[in-house]
Coordinates of all heavy atoms in Angstrom, one line a residue:
P178 N 0.8 -1.2 0.0 CA 0.0 0.0 0.0 C 0.9 1.3 0.0 O 1.9 1.3 0.7 CB -0.8 -0.1 1.3 CG -0.8 -1.6 1.7 CD 0.5 -2.1 1.1
G179 N 0.5 2.2 -0.8 CA 1.2 3.5 -0.9 C 2.4 3.5 -1.8 O 3.2 4.4 -1.9
R180 N 2.5 2.4 -2.6 CA 3.6 2.3 -3.6 C 3.1 1.7 -4.9 O 2.4 0.7 -4.9 CB 4.8 1.4 -3.1 CG 5.9 1.3 -4.0 CD 7.1 0.6 -3.4 NE 8.1 0.1 -4.3 CZ 8.9 0.8 -5.1 NH1 8.8 2.1 -5.0 NH2 9.7 0.3 -5.9
I181 N 3.5 2.4 -6.0 CA 3.1 1.9 -7.3 C 4.2 2.1 -8.3 O 4.9 3.1 -8.2 CB 1.8 2.5 -7.8 CG1 1.3 1.9 -9.1 CG2 2.0 4.0 -8.0 CD1 -0.1 2.3 -9.5
E182 N 4.5 1.1 -9.1 CA 5.5 1.1 -10.1 C 4.8 0.8 -11.4 O 4.0 -0.1 -11.6 CB 6.6 0.1 -9.8 CG 7.8 0.1 -10.7 CD 8.9 -0.8 -10.3 OE1 8.7 -1.5 -9.3 OE2 9.8 -0.9 -11.1
F183 N 5.1 1.6 -12.5 CA 4.5 1.4 -13.8 C 5.5 1.7 -14.9 O 6.5 2.4 -14.7 CB 3.2 2.2 -13.9 CG 3.5 3.7 -14.1 CD1 3.3 4.3 -15.3 CD2 3.9 4.5 -13.1 CE1 3.5 5.6 -15.5 CE2 4.1 5.9 -13.3 CZ 3.9 6.4 -14.5
R184 N 5.2 1.3 -16.0 CA 6.0 1.5 -17.2 C 5.1 2.3 -18.2 O 4.2 1.7 -18.8 CB 6.5 0.3 -17.9 CG 7.4 0.5 -19.0 CD 8.0 -0.8 -19.6 NE 6.9 -1.7 -19.9 CZ 6.7 -2.2 -21.1 NH1 7.5 -2.0 -22.1 NH2 5.7 -3.1 -21.3
P185 N 5.3 3.6 -18.3 CA 4.5 4.4 -19.2 C 4.8 4.1 -20.7 O 5.9 3.7 -21.0 CB 4.8 5.8 -18.9 CG 6.2 5.8 -18.3 CD 6.3 4.4 -17.7
S186 N 3.8 4.3 -21.5 CA 4.0 4.1 -23.0 C 4.8 5.3 -23.5 O 4.9 6.3 -22.8 CB 2.6 4.0 -23.7 OG 2.0 5.2 -23.7
P187 N 5.3 5.2 -24.7 CA 6.1 6.3 -25.2 C 5.2 7.6 -25.4 O 5.7 8.7 -25.4 CB 6.5 5.8 -26.6 CG 6.5 4.4 -26.5 CD 5.4 4.0 -25.5
Q188 N 3.9 7.4 -25.5 CA 3.0 8.6 -25.7 C 2.7 9.3 -24.3 O 2.0 10.3 -24.3 CB 1.7 8.2 -26.4 CG 1.9 7.6 -27.7 CD 2.2 6.1 -27.7 OE1 2.1 5.4 -26.7 NE2 2.6 5.6 -28.9
A189 N 3.0 8.7 -23.2 CA 2.7 9.3 -21.9 C 3.4 10.6 -21.7 O 4.5 10.8 -22.1 CB 3.0 8.3 -20.8
P190 N 2.7 11.5 -21.0 CA 3.4 12.8 -20.7 C 4.6 12.6 -19.7 O 4.6 11.6 -18.9 CB 2.3 13.6 -19.9 CG 1.1 12.8 -19.9 CD 1.4 11.5 -20.5
A191 N 5.6 13.4 -19.9 CA 6.8 13.3 -19.1 C 6.6 13.4 -17.6 O 7.3 12.8 -16.8 CB 7.8 14.3 -19.5
N192 N 5.5 14.1 -17.2 CA 5.3 14.3 -15.8 C 4.2 13.4 -15.2 O 3.6 13.6 -14.2 CB 4.9 15.8 -15.5 CG 3.6 16.2 -16.2 OD1 3.0 15.4 -17.0 ND2 3.0 17.3 -15.8
L193 N 3.9 12.3 -15.9 CA 2.8 11.4 -15.5 C 3.1 10.8 -14.1 O 2.1 10.7 -13.3 CB 2.7 10.2 -16.5 CG 1.5 9.2 -16.2 CD1 0.2 10.0 -16.1 CD2 1.5 8.2 -17.3
A194 N 4.3 10.4 -13.8 CA 4.5 9.8 -12.4 C 4.2 10.8 -11.3 O 3.6 10.5 -10.3 CB 6.0 9.4 -12.3
N195 N 4.6 12.1 -11.5 CA 4.3 13.1 -10.5 C 2.8 13.4 -10.4 O 2.3 13.5 -9.3 CB 5.0 14.4 -10.9 CG 6.5 14.3 -10.7 OD1 7.0 13.5 -10.0 ND2 7.3 15.2 -11.4
R196 N 2.2 13.4 -11.5 CA 0.7 13.7 -11.5 C 0.0 12.5 -10.9 O -1.0 12.7 -10.1 CB 0.2 13.9 -13.0 CG 0.7 15.2 -13.6 CD 0.4 15.4 -15.0 NE -1.0 15.0 -15.4 CZ -1.4 14.8 -16.6 NH1 -0.6 14.8 -17.6 NH2 -2.7 14.5 -16.8
L197 N 0.4 11.3 -11.2 CA -0.2 10.1 -10.6 C -0.1 10.1 -9.1 O -1.0 9.8 -8.3 CB 0.3 8.8 -11.2 CG -0.2 7.5 -10.7 CD1 -1.7 7.4 -10.9 CD2 0.5 6.3 -11.4
G198 N 1.1 10.4 -8.6 CA 1.4 10.4 -7.2 C 0.5 11.5 -6.5 O 0.0 11.2 -5.4
A199 N 0.4 12.6 -7.1 CA -0.4 13.7 -6.5 C -1.8 13.3 -6.4 O -2.5 13.5 -5.4 CB -0.2 15.0 -7.3
R200 N -2.4 12.7 -7.5 CA -3.8 12.3 -7.5 C -4.1 11.2 -6.5 O -5.0 11.2 -5.8 CB -4.2 11.8 -8.9 CG -4.2 12.9 -9.9 CD -5.3 13.9 -9.7 NE -5.4 14.8 -10.8 CZ -6.0 15.9 -10.7 NH1 -6.6 16.3 -9.6 NH2 -6.0 16.7 -11.8
L201 N -3.2 10.2 -6.5 CA -3.4 9.1 -5.5 C -3.4 9.6 -4.1 O -4.2 9.2 -3.2 CB -2.3 8.0 -5.7 CG -2.5 7.2 -7.0 CD1 -1.3 6.3 -7.2 CD2 -3.7 6.3 -6.9
T202 N -2.5 10.5 -3.8 CA -2.4 11.1 -2.5 C -3.7 11.9 -2.2 O -4.3 11.8 -1.1 CB -1.2 12.1 -2.3 OG1 0.0 11.3 -2.5 CG2 -1.1 12.7 -1.0
E203 N -4.1 12.7 -3.1 CA -5.4 13.5 -3.0 C -6.6 12.5 -2.8 O -7.4 12.8 -1.9 CB -5.6 14.3 -4.2 CG -6.8 15.1 -4.2 CD -7.0 15.8 -5.6 OE1 -6.0 16.2 -6.2 OE2 -8.2 16.1 -6.0
W204 N -6.7 11.5 -3.5 CA -7.8 10.6 -3.5 C -7.9 9.7 -2.2 O -8.9 9.4 -1.7 CB -7.9 9.7 -4.7 CG -8.1 10.5 -6.0 CD1 -8.8 11.7 -6.1 CD2 -7.7 10.1 -7.3 NE1 -8.8 12.1 -7.5 CE2 -8.2 11.1 -8.2 CE3 -7.1 9.0 -7.8 CZ2 -8.0 11.0 -9.6 CZ3 -6.8 8.9 -9.2 CH2 -7.3 9.9 -10.0
T205 N -6.7 9.3 -1.8 CA -6.6 8.3 -0.7 C -6.3 8.9 0.7 O -6.5 8.3 1.7 CB -5.6 7.2 -1.0 OG1 -4.3 7.8 -1.0 CG2 -6.0 6.5 -2.3
G206 N -5.7 10.2 0.6 CA -5.3 10.8 1.9 C -4.0 10.3 2.5 O -3.7 10.5 3.6
R207 N -3.3 9.5 1.7 CA -2.0 9.0 2.2 C -1.0 9.2 1.1 O -1.3 9.3 -0.1 CB -2.1 7.5 2.6 CG -2.3 6.6 1.4 CD -2.4 5.1 1.8 NE -1.2 4.7 2.5 CZ -1.1 3.5 3.1 NH1 -2.1 2.7 3.0 NH2 0.0 3.2 3.7
R208 N 0.3 9.3 1.5 CA 1.3 9.6 0.5 C 1.6 8.4 -0.3 O 1.7 7.3 0.2 CB 2.6 10.1 1.3 CG 3.7 10.5 0.4 CD 4.9 11.0 1.2 NE 6.0 11.5 0.4 CZ 6.7 10.9 -0.5 NH1 6.3 9.7 -0.9 NH2 7.7 11.5 -1.1
W209 N 1.8 8.6 -1.6 CA 2.2 7.5 -2.5 C 3.5 7.7 -3.1 O 3.9 8.8 -3.4 CB 1.2 7.4 -3.6 CG -0.1 6.7 -3.2 CD1 -1.1 7.3 -2.5 CD2 -0.5 5.4 -3.5 NE1 -2.1 6.4 -2.3 CE2 -1.8 5.2 -2.9 CE3 0.1 4.4 -4.2 CZ2 -2.5 4.0 -3.0 CZ3 -0.6 3.2 -4.3 CH2 -1.9 3.0 -3.7
V210 N 4.3 6.6 -3.2 CA 5.6 6.6 -3.9 C 5.3 6.0 -5.3 O 4.9 4.9 -5.4 CB 6.6 5.8 -3.1 CG1 7.9 5.7 -3.9 CG2 6.9 6.3 -1.8
V211 N 5.5 6.8 -6.3 CA 5.3 6.4 -7.7 C 6.6 6.3 -8.4 O 7.4 7.3 -8.4 CB 4.3 7.3 -8.4 CG1 4.1 6.9 -9.8 CG2 3.0 7.4 -7.7
S212 N 7.0 5.2 -9.0 CA 8.2 5.1 -9.7 C 8.0 4.5 -11.1 O 7.0 3.8 -11.3 CB 9.2 4.2 -8.9 OG 8.7 2.9 -8.7
V213 N 8.9 4.9 -12.0 CA 8.8 4.5 -13.4 C 9.7 3.3 -13.5 O 10.9 3.4 -13.1 CB 9.1 5.7 -14.3 CG1 9.2 5.2 -15.7 CG2 8.1 6.8 -14.1
S214 N 9.3 2.3 -14.2 CA 10.1 1.1 -14.4 C 10.5 1.0 -15.8 O 9.7 1.3 -16.7 CB 9.3 -0.2 -14.0 OG 10.0 -1.3 -14.4
G215 N 11.7 0.5 -16.1 CA 12.1 0.2 -17.4 C 11.9 -1.2 -17.8 O 12.2 -1.6 -18.9
E216 N 11.5 -2.0 -16.8 CA 11.3 -3.5 -17.0 C 10.1 -3.7 -17.9 O 9.1 -3.0 -17.7 CB 11.2 -4.2 -15.7 CG 12.4 -4.1 -14.8 CD 13.6 -4.9 -15.4 OE1 13.4 -6.0 -16.0 OE2 14.7 -4.3 -15.4
P217 N 10.1 -4.7 -18.7 CA 8.8 -5.0 -19.4 C 7.8 -5.5 -18.5 O 8.1 -6.2 -17.5 CB 9.2 -6.2 -20.4 CG 10.5 -6.7 -19.8 CD 11.1 -5.6 -19.0
G218 N 6.6 -5.1 -18.7 CA 5.5 -5.5 -17.8 C 4.4 -6.3 -18.6 O 4.6 -6.6 -19.8
S219 N 3.3 -6.5 -18.0 CA 2.2 -7.1 -18.6 C 1.6 -6.2 -19.7 O 1.7 -5.0 -19.5 CB 1.1 -7.5 -17.6 OG 1.6 -8.4 -16.7
P220 N 0.9 -6.8 -20.7 CA 0.2 -5.9 -21.6 C -0.9 -5.1 -20.9 O -1.4 -5.5 -19.8 CB -0.4 -6.9 -22.6 CG 0.3 -8.2 -22.4 CD 0.8 -8.2 -21.0
S221 N -1.2 -3.9 -21.4 CA -2.2 -3.1 -20.8 C -3.5 -3.8 -20.9 O -3.7 -4.8 -21.7 CB -2.3 -1.7 -21.6 OG -2.8 -1.9 -22.9
L222 N -4.5 -3.3 -20.2 CA -5.8 -3.9 -20.2 C -6.4 -3.8 -21.6 O -7.1 -4.7 -22.1 CB -6.8 -3.2 -19.2 CG -6.4 -3.4 -17.7 CD1 -7.3 -2.6 -16.8 CD2 -6.3 -4.9 -17.3
E223 N -6.2 -2.7 -22.3 CA -6.7 -2.5 -23.6 C -6.0 -3.6 -24.6 O -6.7 -4.2 -25.4 CB -6.4 -1.1 -24.2 CG -6.9 -0.9 -25.6 CD -6.6 0.5 -26.1 OE1 -6.1 1.3 -25.3 OE2 -6.9 0.8 -27.2
Q224 N -4.7 -3.8 -24.4 CA -4.0 -4.8 -25.2 C -4.5 -6.2 -24.9 O -4.7 -7.0 -25.8 CB -2.5 -4.7 -25.0 CG -1.9 -3.4 -25.5 CD -0.5 -3.2 -25.0 OE1 -0.1 -3.6 -23.9 NE2 0.3 -2.5 -25.8
Q225 N -4.8 -6.5 -23.7 CA -5.3 -7.8 -23.3 C -6.7 -8.0 -23.9 O -7.0 -9.1 -24.4 CB -5.4 -7.9 -21.8 CG -4.0 -8.0 -21.1 CD -4.1 -8.0 -19.6 OE1 -5.0 -8.6 -19.0 NE2 -3.2 -7.3 -18.9
A226 N -7.5 -7.0 -23.9 CA -8.9 -7.1 -24.4 C -8.8 -7.3 -25.9 O -9.5 -8.2 -26.5 CB -9.7 -5.9 -24.1
Q227 N -7.9 -6.6 -26.6 CA -7.8 -6.7 -28.1 C -7.2 -8.1 -28.4 O -7.7 -8.7 -29.4 CB -6.9 -5.6 -28.6 CG -6.9 -5.6 -30.2 CD -8.2 -5.4 -30.8 OE1 -8.9 -4.5 -30.4 NE2 -8.6 -6.3 -31.7
A228 N -6.3 -8.6 -27.6 CA -5.8 -10.0 -27.9 C -6.9 -11.0 -27.7 O -6.9 -12.0 -28.5 CB -4.6 -10.3 -26.9
A229 N -7.8 -10.9 -26.8 CA -8.9 -11.8 -26.6 C -9.8 -11.8 -27.8 O -10.3 -12.8 -28.3 CB -9.6 -11.5 -25.3
I230 N -10.1 -10.5 -28.3 CA -11.0 -10.4 -29.5 C -10.3 -11.0 -30.7 O -11.0 -11.7 -31.4 CB -11.3 -8.9 -29.7 CG1 -12.2 -8.4 -28.6 CG2 -11.9 -8.7 -31.1 CD1 -12.3 -6.8 -28.6
D231 N -9.0 -10.8 -30.9 CA -8.3 -11.4 -32.0 C -8.3 -12.9 -31.9 O -8.4 -13.6 -32.9 CB -6.9 -10.8 -32.0 CG -6.8 -9.3 -32.4 OD1 -7.8 -8.8 -32.8 OD2 -5.7 -8.7 -32.1
A232 N -8.1 -13.4 -30.7 CA -8.1 -14.9 -30.6 C -9.4 -15.5 -30.9 O -9.5 -16.5 -31.6 CB -7.7 -15.3 -29.1
E233 N -10.5 -14.8 -30.5 CA -11.9 -15.3 -30.8 C -12.1 -15.3 -32.3 O -12.6 -16.2 -32.9 CB -12.9 -14.4 -30.2 CG -13.3 -14.8 -28.7 CD -14.4 -14.0 -28.2 OE1 -14.7 -12.9 -28.7 OE2 -15.2 -14.6 -27.4
R234 N -11.7 -14.2 -33.0 CA -11.8 -14.1 -34.4 C -11.0 -15.2 -35.1 O -11.5 -15.8 -36.0 CB -11.4 -12.7 -34.9 CG -11.6 -12.5 -36.4 CD -11.2 -11.1 -36.9 NE -12.1 -10.1 -36.2 CZ -11.6 -9.1 -35.5 NH1 -10.3 -9.0 -35.3 NH2 -12.4 -8.3 -34.9
E235 N -9.8 -15.4 -34.7 CA -8.9 -16.4 -35.3 C -9.5 -17.8 -35.2 O -9.5 -18.6 -36.1 CB -7.5 -16.3 -34.8 CG -6.8 -15.1 -35.2 CD -5.5 -14.9 -34.5 OE1 -5.1 -15.8 -33.7 OE2 -4.9 -13.8 -34.7
A236 N -10.1 -18.1 -34.0 CA -10.7 -19.4 -33.7 C -11.9 -19.6 -34.6 O -12.2 -20.6 -35.2 CB -11.1 -19.5 -32.3
A237 N -12.7 -18.5 -34.8 CA -13.9 -18.6 -35.6 C -13.5 -18.8 -37.1 O -14.1 -19.6 -37.8 CB -14.7 -17.3 -35.5
E238 N -12.4 -18.1 -37.5 CA -12.0 -18.3 -38.9 C -11.5 -19.7 -39.2 O -11.5 -20.1 -40.4 CB -10.9 -17.2 -39.2 CG -11.4 -15.8 -39.3 CD -10.4 -14.8 -39.4 OE1 -9.2 -15.1 -39.2 OE2 -10.7 -13.6 -39.8
R239 N -11.1 -20.4 -38.2 CA -10.6 -21.8 -38.4 C -11.7 -22.8 -38.5 O -11.5 -23.9 -38.9 CB -9.6 -22.2 -37.3 CG -8.3 -21.5 -37.4 CD -7.3 -22.1 -36.4 NE -7.7 -22.1 -35.0 CZ -7.4 -21.1 -34.2 NH1 -6.7 -20.0 -34.6 NH2 -7.8 -21.1 -32.9
H240 N -12.9 -22.4 -38.1 CA -14.1 -23.3 -38.1 C -14.5 -23.7 -39.5 O -14.5 -22.8 -40.4 CB -15.3 -22.7 -37.4 CG -16.4 -23.6 -37.1 ND1 -17.3 -24.0 -38.0 CD2 -16.7 -24.3 -35.9 CE1 -18.1 -24.9 -37.5 NE2 -17.8 -25.1 -36.2
P241 N -14.7 -25.0 -39.8 CA -15.0 -25.4 -41.2 C -16.2 -24.7 -41.8 O -16.1 -24.3 -43.0 CB -15.3 -26.9 -41.0 CG -14.6 -27.3 -39.7 CD -14.6 -26.1 -38.9
L242 N -17.2 -24.4 -41.0 CA -18.4 -23.7 -41.6 C -18.0 -22.3 -42.0 O -18.5 -21.8 -43.0 CB -19.6 -23.7 -40.7 CG -20.2 -25.1 -40.5 CD1 -21.3 -25.0 -39.4 CD2 -20.8 -25.6 -41.8
V243 N -17.2 -21.6 -41.2 CA -16.8 -20.3 -41.5 C -15.9 -20.3 -42.7 O -16.0 -19.4 -43.6 CB -16.2 -19.6 -40.2 CG1 -15.6 -18.2 -40.6 CG2 -17.2 -19.5 -39.1
Q244 N -15.0 -21.2 -42.7 CA -14.1 -21.3 -43.9 C -14.9 -21.5 -45.2 O -14.6 -20.9 -46.2 CB -13.1 -22.5 -43.7 CG -12.0 -22.1 -42.6 CD -11.0 -23.3 -42.5 OE1 -11.2 -24.4 -43.0 NE2 -10.0 -23.0 -41.7
A245 N -15.9 -22.4 -45.1 CA -16.8 -22.6 -46.3 C -17.5 -21.3 -46.7 O -17.6 -21.0 -47.9 CB -17.8 -23.7 -46.0
A246 N -18.0 -20.5 -45.7 CA -18.7 -19.3 -46.0 C -17.7 -18.3 -46.6 O -18.0 -17.6 -47.6 CB -19.3 -18.7 -44.8
L247 N -16.5 -18.2 -46.1 CA -15.5 -17.3 -46.6 C -15.1 -17.7 -48.1 O -14.9 -16.8 -48.9 CB -14.3 -17.2 -45.7 CG -14.5 -16.6 -44.3 CD1 -13.2 -16.8 -43.5 CD2 -14.9 -15.1 -44.4
A248 N -15.1 -19.0 -48.3 CA -14.7 -19.4 -49.7 C -15.9 -19.2 -50.6 O -15.6 -18.8 -51.8 CB -14.4 -20.9 -49.6
A249 N -17.1 -19.3 -50.2 CA -18.3 -19.0 -51.0 C -18.4 -17.6 -51.4 O -19.1 -17.2 -52.4 CB -19.5 -19.6 -50.3
F250 N -17.9 -16.7 -50.5 CA -18.1 -15.2 -50.7 C -16.7 -14.6 -50.8 O -16.2 -14.1 -49.7 CB -18.9 -14.6 -49.6 CG -20.3 -15.1 -49.6 CD1 -20.7 -16.2 -48.7 CD2 -21.3 -14.7 -50.5 CE1 -21.9 -16.7 -48.7 CE2 -22.6 -15.2 -50.4 CZ -22.9 -16.2 -49.5
P251 N -16.0 -14.7 -51.9 CA -14.6 -14.1 -52.0 C -14.6 -12.7 -51.6 O -15.4 -11.9 -51.8 CB -14.3 -14.3 -53.5 CG -15.2 -15.3 -54.0 CD -16.5 -15.2 -53.2
G252 N -13.5 -12.4 -50.8 CA -13.3 -11.0 -50.3 C -14.0 -10.7 -49.0 O -13.8 -9.7 -48.4
S253 N -14.8 -11.7 -48.5 CA -15.5 -11.5 -47.2 C -14.5 -11.7 -46.1 O -13.5 -12.4 -46.2 CB -16.7 -12.5 -47.1 OG -16.2 -13.8 -47.2
V254 N -14.8 -11.1 -45.0 CA -13.9 -11.2 -43.8 C -14.8 -11.4 -42.5 O -16.0 -11.0 -42.5 CB -13.0 -10.0 -43.6 CG1 -12.0 -9.9 -44.7 CG2 -13.8 -8.7 -43.5
V255 N -14.2 -11.9 -41.5 CA -14.9 -12.0 -40.2 C -14.6 -10.7 -39.5 O -13.4 -10.4 -39.2 CB -14.4 -13.2 -39.4 CG1 -15.0 -13.2 -38.0 CG2 -14.7 -14.5 -40.1
E256 N -15.6 -9.9 -39.3 CA -15.4 -8.6 -38.6 C -15.6 -8.7 -37.1 O -14.9 -7.9 -36.4 CB -16.3 -7.6 -39.2 CG -16.0 -7.2 -40.6 CD -16.8 -6.0 -41.1 OE1 -17.7 -5.5 -40.4 OE2 -16.6 -5.6 -42.2
A257 N -16.5 -9.5 -36.7 CA -16.8 -9.6 -35.2 C -17.3 -11.0 -34.9 O -17.9 -11.7 -35.8 CB -17.8 -8.6 -34.8
V258 N -17.1 -11.4 -33.7 CA -17.6 -12.7 -33.2 C -18.6 -12.4 -32.1 O -18.2 -11.7 -31.1 CB -16.5 -13.6 -32.7 CG1 -17.0 -14.9 -32.2 CG2 -15.5 -13.9 -33.9
R259 N -19.8 -12.9 -32.1 CA -20.7 -12.7 -31.1 C -21.1 -14.1 -30.5 O -21.3 -15.0 -31.2 CB -22.0 -12.0 -31.6 CG -21.7 -10.6 -32.1 CD -23.0 -10.0 -32.5 NE -23.6 -10.7 -33.6 CZ -23.9 -10.2 -34.8 NH1 -23.8 -9.0 -35.0 NH2 -24.4 -11.0 -35.7
D260 N -21.4 -14.1 -29.2 CA -21.8 -15.3 -28.5 C -23.3 -15.3 -28.6 O -24.0 -14.4 -28.0 CB -21.4 -15.3 -27.0 CG -21.7 -16.5 -26.3 OD1 -22.3 -17.5 -26.9 OD2 -21.4 -16.6 -25.1
L261 N -23.9 -16.3 -29.3 CA -25.3 -16.4 -29.4 C -26.0 -17.4 -28.5 O -27.1 -17.7 -28.6 CB -25.7 -16.8 -30.9 CG -25.2 -15.7 -31.9 CD1 -25.6 -16.2 -33.3 CD2 -25.8 -14.4 -31.7
T262 N -25.2 -17.8 -27.5 CA -25.7 -18.8 -26.5 C -26.8 -18.1 -25.7 O -26.5 -17.0 -25.1 CB -24.6 -19.2 -25.6 OG1 -23.5 -19.7 -26.3 CG2 -25.1 -20.3 -24.6
P263 N -28.0 -18.7 -25.6 CA -29.0 -18.0 -24.8 C -28.6 -18.0 -23.3 O -27.9 -18.9 -22.8 CB -30.3 -18.9 -25.0 CG -29.8 -20.1 -25.6 CD -28.4 -19.9 -26.2
P264 N -29.0 -17.0 -22.6 CA -28.7 -16.9 -21.2 C -29.3 -18.1 -20.4 O -30.3 -18.6 -20.8 CB -29.3 -15.6 -20.7 CG -30.2 -15.1 -21.8 CD -29.9 -15.9 -23.0
A265 N -28.6 -18.5 -19.4 CA -29.1 -19.6 -18.6 C -30.4 -19.2 -17.9 O -30.6 -18.1 -17.5 CB -28.1 -20.0 -17.5
A266 N -31.3 -20.2 -17.8 CA -32.6 -20.0 -17.1 C -32.3 -19.8 -15.6 O -31.5 -20.4 -15.0 CB -33.5 -21.2 -17.3
P267 N -33.0 -18.8 -15.0 CA -32.9 -18.6 -13.6 C -33.3 -19.9 -12.8 O -34.1 -20.6 -13.2 CB -33.8 -17.4 -13.3 CG -34.5 -17.1 -14.5 CD -34.0 -18.0 -15.6
D268 N -32.7 -20.0 -11.7 CA -33.0 -21.1 -10.8 C -34.4 -21.0 -10.3 O -34.8 -19.9 -9.9 CB -32.0 -21.1 -9.6 CG -32.1 -22.3 -8.7 OD1 -32.7 -23.3 -9.2 OD2 -31.6 -22.3 -7.6
T269 N -35.2 -22.1 -10.3 CA -36.6 -22.0 -9.9 C -36.7 -21.6 -8.4 O -37.7 -20.9 -8.1 CB -37.3 -23.4 -10.0 OG1 -36.5 -24.4 -9.3 CG2 -37.4 -23.8 -11.5
E270 N -35.8 -21.9 -7.6 CA -35.8 -21.4 -6.2 C -35.7 -19.9 -6.1 O -36.4 -19.2 -5.4 CB -34.7 -22.1 -5.4 CG -34.8 -21.8 -3.9 CD -33.7 -22.5 -3.1 OE1 -33.5 -23.7 -3.4 OE2 -33.1 -21.8 -2.2
E271 N -34.8 -19.3 -7.0 CA -34.7 -17.9 -7.0 C -36.0 -17.2 -7.5 O -36.4 -16.2 -7.0 CB -33.5 -17.5 -7.9 CG -32.2 -17.8 -7.3 CD -31.0 -17.4 -8.3 OE1 -31.3 -16.8 -9.3 OE2 -29.9 -17.9 -8.1
Q272 N -36.6 -17.9 -8.5 CA -37.9 -17.3 -9.0 C -38.9 -17.3 -7.9 O -39.7 -16.3 -7.7 CB -38.4 -18.1 -10.2 CG -37.6 -17.9 -11.4 CD -38.1 -18.8 -12.6 OE1 -38.9 -19.8 -12.3 NE2 -37.8 -18.5 -13.8
E273 N -39.0 -18.4 -7.1 CA -40.0 -18.5 -6.0 C -39.8 -17.4 -5.0 O -40.7 -16.8 -4.5 CB -40.0 -19.9 -5.4 CG -40.6 -20.9 -6.4 CD -40.4 -22.3 -5.8 OE1 -39.9 -22.5 -4.7 OE2 -40.7 -23.3 -6.6
Q274 N -38.5 -17.2 -4.6 CA -38.2 -16.2 -3.6 C -38.5 -14.8 -4.0 O -38.9 -14.0 -3.3 CB -36.7 -16.3 -3.2 CG -36.4 -17.6 -2.4 CD -34.9 -17.7 -2.1 OE1 -34.1 -16.9 -2.5 NE2 -34.6 -18.8 -1.4
G275 N -38.3 -14.5 -5.3 CA -38.5 -13.2 -5.8 C -39.9 -12.9 -6.3 O -40.3 -11.8 -6.6
S276 N -40.8 -13.9 -6.2 CA -42.2 -13.7 -6.6 C -43.0 -12.9 -5.6 O -42.9 -13.1 -4.4 CB -42.8 -15.1 -6.8 OG -44.2 -14.9 -7.2
D277 N -43.8 -12.0 -6.1 CA -44.7 -11.2 -5.2 C -46.0 -11.9 -5.0 O -46.9 -11.5 -4.2 CB -44.9 -9.8 -5.7 CG -43.7 -9.0 -5.7 OD1 -42.9 -9.2 -4.8 OD2 -43.6 -8.1 -6.5
E278 N -46.2 -13.0 -5.7 CA -47.5 -13.7 -5.6 C -47.5 -14.6 -4.4 O -46.5 -15.1 -4.0 CB -47.7 -14.6 -6.9 CG -47.8 -13.8 -8.1 CD -48.0 -14.7 -9.4 OE1 -48.5 -15.8 -9.2 OE2 -47.6 -14.2 -10.4
P279 N -48.7 -14.7 -3.7 CA -48.8 -15.5 -2.5 C -48.7 -17.0 -2.8 O -48.9 -17.5 -3.8 CB -50.2 -15.2 -2.0 CG -50.9 -14.4 -3.0 CD -49.9 -14.0 -4.0

């Protein structure tokens, strides 16, 4: 607690560490030590989300039916992958507890 180390991207402002430390101190009421690391870190949350989207798309493109559709329509591409699984039915016990009927 009170210490954070991060590796800013090349586009980050030069004073980001100072600004982050000041904001954390302001928001939490305690002093924070903020340091910049030159070590490689984990991908950013945005990069992780994009990697998951890319992996889903690549998996879909490997599916035989998708490959057949892509072959049948030259120049077509997979732009997005959506989960069409219907939501799970609520538990009947939960339905009974939430019911206003006598």
Side-chain angles (χ1 to χ4, degrees):
R180 177 169 164 71
I181 187 168
E182 184 175 356
F183 74 106
R184 184 177 53 123
S186 71
Q188 300 85 9
N192 66 347
L193 182 58
N195 291 338
R196 290 171 49 196
L197 179 59
R200 293 291 187 199
L201 287 170
T202 299
E203 177 185 330
W204 294 334
T205 64
R207 69 182 303 173
R208 186 176 184 304
W209 281 77
V210 175
V211 178
S212 56
V213 176
S214 172
E216 296 294 317
S219 299
S221 69
L222 295 177
E223 181 179 357
Q224 291 168 329
Q225 292 175 36
Q227 188 59 52
I230 290 168
D231 293 344
E233 277 187 329
R234 182 177 299 120
E235 290 168 8
E238 288 172 344
R239 288 191 302 271
H240 192 281
L242 290 175
V243 175
Q244 288 180 352
L247 292 173
F250 299 97
S253 60
V254 295
V255 175
E256 290 187 357
V258 177
R259 293 184 300 233
D260 183 4
L261 299 178
T262 307
D268 187 15
T269 54
E270 185 177 317
E271 289 177 12
Q272 286 179 342
E273 291 173 4
Q274 291 177 357
S276 176
D277 291 331
E278 295 179 26

